[in-house]
Amino acid sequence: MAESLVLIEHHRQQVKRPSLHAITLARQLGGEYALLVLGHRLDGIVASLVSYGACAVVVADDPALAKPLADRYATVIAEAARKHDAKIILGTSSTFSKDVLPRAAALLDAPMVTDVVAIEEMDGS
Amino acid sequence: MKILVPFKSVPDPNDATVVGAAASTPKSVINPFDEIAIEEALRIRERGEAAEIVGITIGAPTVDEQIRAALAMGIDRAIRIDDSRALDPYAVARILRVLIEKEAPHVVIMGKQAVDDDSNQVGQMLAGLLRWPQATFVSKIEFLGNKTRARCTRETDAGLEVIEIKLPAIITTDLRLNEPRYVSLPGLMKARRKSIEVLTCDQLGVTVRPLTTVLSTARPPKRAAGTRVESVEELVTKLRQDAKVL
């Protein structure tokens, strides 16, 4: 079970740099974090993600996920968050994350904060 | 086709003195992205693809001024949900969802974000709650298949993306979709005769409490003036001693 779930953004078999910032944040928040990657033919990406200290790399690899369609991605993200009992889902301030994460938030009955530059304190609740 | 346009009353972004939500009594306007949504709905109707345009907003009676402006632009009628609380995007989405189920539009077109909080969440959350398709940051909309589908061009980090979605759906607008018209005098006159229905959350049967709270709003710190240096050595010294980045 991971406290944070980081949605990894990738393009052409490469993890996008802003996702690395999200991973760093997950690390700073303390607790365990899992990386979530969606798409198709992800072996290369997954291999590059194992060295980031996550307790799990959750992979959703399917032809139906080849393009980032929000309804499909949000459903998978919500399911992964529930399965891993994640307290926080982290993404980046990209059009990809902004398209998909609010929809996932609604599916999870959870609030969302966009464009965060600092997290000052966090208690258990 | 019936188009629903949710819009928000926001402090005028061109007014530099505004800091913080409802600080004093700043001048309010229709959120610019929502204005673009209203404009798009009007153009869709003008080309004969829509019959009715309904505007929705949530707020105190003071937002009636923005409702009149939307009616003056040309929407047919408006609904105001009377609620003066500070609501977060999820609360807004939950309220709008109930109204949308009631009004049963073919498409909802709204701004991608409000310029006071820049959340960029409500449209997507609404789509999730309704389990409807969504097209966000849209710069072009075409209706196909006798208005059963929409082909939308989206502005993404990677460039323009074209998707096709089934209707009913949620579409959020980006800047390049259109340039909104100015309100005309005949428009203003006609607006006086159009209806504004006022409803409460109780009447809608929806109870929301915000899950996020704004603690404070502040200007970003003023950028200090730069200093000129005479040599590379001076620059390195300053970077070490003053900026402490080396």
Side-chain angles (χ1 to χ4, degrees):
Chain A
M1 302 297 114
E3 259 192 45
S4 315
L5 184 63
V6 184
L7 175 65
I8 299 296
E9 194 175 346
H10 56 93
H11 184 58
R12 296 207 180 138
Q13 297 298 314
Q14 297 258 38
V15 172
K16 287 187 116 168
R17 206 185 149 73
S19 291
L20 301 184
H21 291 276
I23 296 174
T24 303
L25 177 60
R27 203 175 284 162
Q28 286 170 344
L29 290 175
E32 297 210 300
Y33 56 94
L35 308 182
L36 172 63
V37 59
L38 292 84
H40 189 42
R41 291 196 234 267
L42 297 171
D43 295 336
I45 298 274
V46 174
S48 70
L49 286 172
V50 295
S51 51
Y52 285 103
C55 66
V57 177
V58 182
V59 184
D61 190 328
D62 194 284
L65 299 175
K67 302 278 176 173
L69 292 167
D71 52 349
R72 301 176 192 188
Y73 272 50
T75 305
V76 172
I77 293 166
E79 193 48 46
R82 269 184 223 114
K83 210 163 149 184
H84 290 262
D85 207 22
K87 291 209 173 65
I88 296 194
I89 301 177
L90 299 173
T92 62
S93 289
S94 60
T95 52
F96 163 69
S97 295
K98 286 180 180 184
D99 183 34
V100 158
L101 286 180
R103 189 183 178 111
L107 295 178
L108 290 163
D109 196 32
M112 173 167 163
V113 192
T114 316
D115 293 334
V116 171
V117 296
I119 295 189
E120 270 155 52
E121 60 178 78
M122 229 171 76
D123 65 40
S125 55
Chain B
M1 194 166 63
K2 179 185 200 179
I3 305 178
L4 213 98
V5 183
F7 60 92
K8 186 179 182 184
S9 168
V10 296
D12 187 348
N14 295 315
D15 182 350
T17 63
V18 172
V19 175
S24 45
T25 38
K27 172 168 182 275
S28 292
V29 295
I30 297 175
N31 177 41
F33 289 103
D34 296 332
E35 237 191 340
I36 290 172
I38 294 170
E39 175 63 30
E40 195 63 18
L42 296 171
R43 292 186 190 191
I44 294 167
R45 186 180 51 199
E46 278 157 11
R47 52 179 200 254
E49 291 183 305
E52 192 187 7
I53 303 169
V54 184
I56 308 186
T57 195
I58 302 173
T62 44
V63 310
D64 278 352
E65 196 191 318
Q66 280 70 63
I67 300 178
R68 291 282 165 220
L71 290 166
M73 278 177 79
I75 68 174
D76 299 305
R77 61 182 168 90
I79 301 169
R80 175 170 65 84
I81 305 299
D82 185 41
D83 198 320
S84 340
R85 293 177 294 167
L87 298 171
D88 64 14
Y90 191 40
V92 171
R94 279 177 287 162
I95 294 171
L96 289 178
R97 180 250 187 111
V98 176
L99 256 166
I100 283 162
E101 283 171 341
K102 187 168 173 271
E103 290 281 334
H106 293 86
V107 67
V108 174
I109 306 179
M110 57 194 284
K112 70 172 183 178
Q113 65 197 54
V115 299
D116 53 0
D117 60 21
D118 286 330
S119 291
N120 199 328
Q121 295 172 29
V122 176
Q124 296 85 304
M125 289 180 159
L126 194 43
L129 291 172
L130 290 162
R131 303 293 196 273
W132 281 12
Q134 67 187 59
T136 56
F137 334 131
V138 165
S139 58
K140 187 173 175 195
I141 307 172
E142 271 176 85
F143 294 102
L144 313 167
N146 197 22
K147 287 173 248 139
T148 54
R149 300 190 320 272
R151 183 177 289 156
C152 301
T153 301
R154 302 179 54 236
E155 304 257 339
T156 71
D157 295 332
L160 298 176
E161 178 191 88
V162 181
I163 62 171
E164 242 179 61
I165 51 177
K166 285 194 197 141
L167 300 184
I170 307 287
I171 297 179
T172 77
T173 66
D174 213 318
L175 272 176
R176 279 188 268 247
L177 181 58
N178 62 49
E179 233 182 88
R181 64 196 61 189
Y182 288 103
V183 162
S184 67
L185 200 46
L188 273 166
M189 305 306 301
K190 277 196 207 145
R192 297 218 188 110
R193 280 175 268 128
K194 293 180 182 175
S195 85
I196 303 178
E197 188 185 355
V198 181
L199 294 170
T200 60
C201 286
D202 280 342
Q203 286 171 306
L204 281 179
V206 58
T207 312
V208 293
R209 60 184 208 305
L211 298 176
T212 55
T213 326
V214 175
L215 298 176
S216 68
T217 338
R219 288 186 188 285
K222 259 192 152 59
R223 205 186 136 146
T227 49
R228 297 187 97 97
V229 293
E230 298 298 310
S231 65
V232 172
E233 287 76 22
E234 199 187 335
L235 174 62
V236 170
T237 310
K238 279 194 187 288
L239 285 173
R240 261 206 199 106
Q241 292 173 357
D242 300 347
K244 298 194 171 64
V245 294
L246 283 182

mmCIF file of all heavy atoms in Angstrom, chain A residues 38 69-79 100-101 103-104 107:
data_model
loop_
_atom_site.group_PDB
_atom_site.id
_atom_site.type_symbol
_atom_site.label_atom_id
_atom_site.label_comp_id
_atom_site.label_asym_id
_atom_site.label_seq_id
_atom_site.Cartn_x
_atom_site.Cartn_y
_atom_site.Cartn_z
ATOM 1 N N LEU A 38 0.728 4.616 -17.619
ATOM 2 C CA LEU A 38 -0.296 4.086 -18.517
ATOM 3 C C LEU A 38 0.155 4.266 -19.955
ATOM 4 O O LEU A 38 0.861 5.224 -20.280
ATOM 5 C CB LEU A 38 -1.614 4.852 -18.340
ATOM 6 C CG LEU A 38 -2.401 4.720 -17.047
ATOM 7 C CD1 LEU A 38 -1.876 5.669 -15.997
ATOM 8 C CD2 LEU A 38 -3.865 5.013 -17.292
ATOM 9 N N LEU A 69 -6.561 9.188 -23.599
ATOM 10 C CA LEU A 69 -7.958 9.631 -23.576
ATOM 11 C C LEU A 69 -8.421 9.701 -22.130
ATOM 12 O O LEU A 69 -8.315 8.725 -21.379
ATOM 13 C CB LEU A 69 -8.821 8.675 -24.392
ATOM 14 C CG LEU A 69 -8.508 8.730 -25.890
ATOM 15 C CD1 LEU A 69 -9.146 7.571 -26.622
ATOM 16 C CD2 LEU A 69 -8.987 10.053 -26.485
ATOM 17 N N ALA A 70 -8.953 10.848 -21.748
ATOM 18 C CA ALA A 70 -9.228 11.129 -20.338
ATOM 19 C C ALA A 70 -10.165 10.131 -19.676
ATOM 20 O O ALA A 70 -9.930 9.722 -18.541
ATOM 21 C CB ALA A 70 -9.789 12.538 -20.185
ATOM 22 N N ASP A 71 -11.229 9.736 -20.370
ATOM 23 C CA ASP A 71 -12.171 8.847 -19.675
ATOM 24 C C ASP A 71 -11.518 7.502 -19.364
ATOM 25 O O ASP A 71 -11.714 6.947 -18.284
ATOM 26 C CB ASP A 71 -13.497 8.701 -20.441
ATOM 27 C CG ASP A 71 -13.311 8.299 -21.893
ATOM 28 O OD1 ASP A 71 -12.167 8.332 -22.385
ATOM 29 O OD2 ASP A 71 -14.310 7.955 -22.546
ATOM 30 N N ARG A 72 -10.715 6.990 -20.280
ATOM 31 C CA ARG A 72 -10.056 5.713 -20.020
ATOM 32 C C ARG A 72 -8.992 5.847 -18.943
ATOM 33 O O ARG A 72 -8.929 5.069 -17.991
ATOM 34 C CB ARG A 72 -9.398 5.185 -21.298
ATOM 35 C CG ARG A 72 -10.387 4.988 -22.413
ATOM 36 C CD ARG A 72 -9.698 4.562 -23.693
ATOM 37 N NE ARG A 72 -10.644 4.653 -24.803
ATOM 38 C CZ ARG A 72 -10.407 4.214 -26.019
ATOM 39 N NH1 ARG A 72 -9.246 3.648 -26.306
ATOM 40 N NH2 ARG A 72 -11.310 4.353 -26.965
ATOM 41 N N TYR A 73 -8.138 6.867 -19.092
ATOM 42 C CA TYR A 73 -7.046 7.053 -18.140
ATOM 43 C C TYR A 73 -7.559 7.326 -16.733
ATOM 44 O O TYR A 73 -7.047 6.769 -15.760
ATOM 45 C CB TYR A 73 -6.137 8.203 -18.605
ATOM 46 C CG TYR A 73 -5.026 7.782 -19.537
ATOM 47 C CD1 TYR A 73 -5.288 6.987 -20.656
ATOM 48 C CD2 TYR A 73 -3.709 8.163 -19.313
ATOM 49 C CE1 TYR A 73 -4.266 6.597 -21.502
ATOM 50 C CE2 TYR A 73 -2.679 7.795 -20.161
ATOM 51 C CZ TYR A 73 -2.961 7.006 -21.256
ATOM 52 O OH TYR A 73 -1.950 6.621 -22.105
ATOM 53 N N ALA A 74 -8.570 8.159 -16.605
ATOM 54 C CA ALA A 74 -9.071 8.514 -15.266
ATOM 55 C C ALA A 74 -9.629 7.272 -14.564
ATOM 56 O O ALA A 74 -9.425 7.090 -13.363
ATOM 57 C CB ALA A 74 -10.130 9.594 -15.357
ATOM 58 N N THR A 75 -10.310 6.435 -15.315
ATOM 59 C CA THR A 75 -10.865 5.211 -14.727
ATOM 60 C C THR A 75 -9.753 4.325 -14.184
ATOM 61 O O THR A 75 -9.828 3.810 -13.067
ATOM 62 C CB THR A 75 -11.684 4.438 -15.784
ATOM 63 O OG1 THR A 75 -12.671 5.313 -16.324
ATOM 64 C CG2 THR A 75 -12.365 3.230 -15.169
ATOM 65 N N VAL A 76 -8.681 4.172 -14.968
ATOM 66 C CA VAL A 76 -7.559 3.335 -14.540
ATOM 67 C C VAL A 76 -6.850 3.952 -13.336
ATOM 68 O O VAL A 76 -6.503 3.259 -12.371
ATOM 69 C CB VAL A 76 -6.564 3.148 -15.713
ATOM 70 C CG1 VAL A 76 -5.304 2.444 -15.246
ATOM 71 C CG2 VAL A 76 -7.227 2.357 -16.838
ATOM 72 N N ILE A 77 -6.647 5.263 -13.371
ATOM 73 C CA ILE A 77 -5.966 5.947 -12.262
ATOM 74 C C ILE A 77 -6.767 5.797 -10.978
ATOM 75 O O ILE A 77 -6.214 5.502 -9.909
ATOM 76 C CB ILE A 77 -5.742 7.438 -12.596
ATOM 77 C CG1 ILE A 77 -4.732 7.579 -13.743
ATOM 78 C CG2 ILE A 77 -5.251 8.211 -11.369
ATOM 79 C CD1 ILE A 77 -4.703 8.960 -14.374
ATOM 80 N N ALA A 78 -8.071 5.983 -11.071
ATOM 81 C CA ALA A 78 -8.916 5.881 -9.869
ATOM 82 C C ALA A 78 -8.839 4.460 -9.308
ATOM 83 O O ALA A 78 -8.729 4.254 -8.100
ATOM 84 C CB ALA A 78 -10.350 6.246 -10.203
ATOM 85 N N GLU A 79 -8.881 3.490 -10.203
ATOM 86 C CA GLU A 79 -8.813 2.092 -9.777
ATOM 87 C C GLU A 79 -7.483 1.792 -9.093
ATOM 88 O O GLU A 79 -7.429 1.155 -8.047
ATOM 89 C CB GLU A 79 -9.006 1.211 -11.023
ATOM 90 C CG GLU A 79 -9.259 -0.243 -10.756
ATOM 91 C CD GLU A 79 -10.315 -0.491 -9.715
ATOM 92 O OE1 GLU A 79 -11.387 0.149 -9.785
ATOM 93 O OE2 GLU A 79 -10.057 -1.304 -8.804
ATOM 94 N N VAL A 100 -6.639 14.778 -17.185
ATOM 95 C CA VAL A 100 -6.991 13.484 -16.630
ATOM 96 C C VAL A 100 -7.233 13.470 -15.117
ATOM 97 O O VAL A 100 -8.166 12.824 -14.641
ATOM 98 C CB VAL A 100 -5.850 12.514 -17.025
ATOM 99 C CG1 VAL A 100 -5.792 11.339 -16.135
ATOM 100 C CG2 VAL A 100 -6.019 12.091 -18.456
ATOM 101 N N LEU A 101 -6.391 14.152 -14.350
ATOM 102 C CA LEU A 101 -6.475 14.044 -12.894
ATOM 103 C C LEU A 101 -7.742 14.597 -12.253
ATOM 104 O O LEU A 101 -8.268 13.974 -11.324
ATOM 105 C CB LEU A 101 -5.228 14.647 -12.228
ATOM 106 C CG LEU A 101 -3.969 13.782 -12.344
ATOM 107 C CD1 LEU A 101 -2.793 14.453 -11.665
ATOM 108 C CD2 LEU A 101 -4.183 12.402 -11.754
ATOM 109 N N ARG A 103 -10.677 14.540 -13.433
ATOM 110 C CA ARG A 103 -11.710 13.525 -13.670
ATOM 111 C C ARG A 103 -11.501 12.362 -12.709
ATOM 112 O O ARG A 103 -12.455 11.852 -12.111
ATOM 113 C CB ARG A 103 -11.650 13.050 -15.119
ATOM 114 C CG ARG A 103 -12.831 12.162 -15.478
ATOM 115 C CD ARG A 103 -12.736 11.629 -16.903
ATOM 116 N NE ARG A 103 -13.851 10.748 -17.187
ATOM 117 C CZ ARG A 103 -14.839 11.016 -18.026
ATOM 118 N NH1 ARG A 103 -14.848 12.167 -18.684
ATOM 119 N NH2 ARG A 103 -15.809 10.151 -18.224
ATOM 120 N N ALA A 104 -10.246 11.936 -12.530
ATOM 121 C CA ALA A 104 -9.947 10.862 -11.579
ATOM 122 C C ALA A 104 -10.332 11.293 -10.166
ATOM 123 O O ALA A 104 -10.874 10.489 -9.385
ATOM 124 C CB ALA A 104 -8.457 10.500 -11.644
ATOM 125 N N LEU A 107 -13.957 10.812 -9.696
ATOM 126 C CA LEU A 107 -14.295 9.388 -9.579
ATOM 127 C C LEU A 107 -13.966 8.873 -8.180
ATOM 128 O O LEU A 107 -14.564 7.920 -7.693
ATOM 129 C CB LEU A 107 -13.535 8.563 -10.634
ATOM 130 C CG LEU A 107 -13.885 8.844 -12.091
ATOM 131 C CD1 LEU A 107 -13.016 7.989 -13.019
ATOM 132 C CD2 LEU A 107 -15.355 8.588 -12.382
#
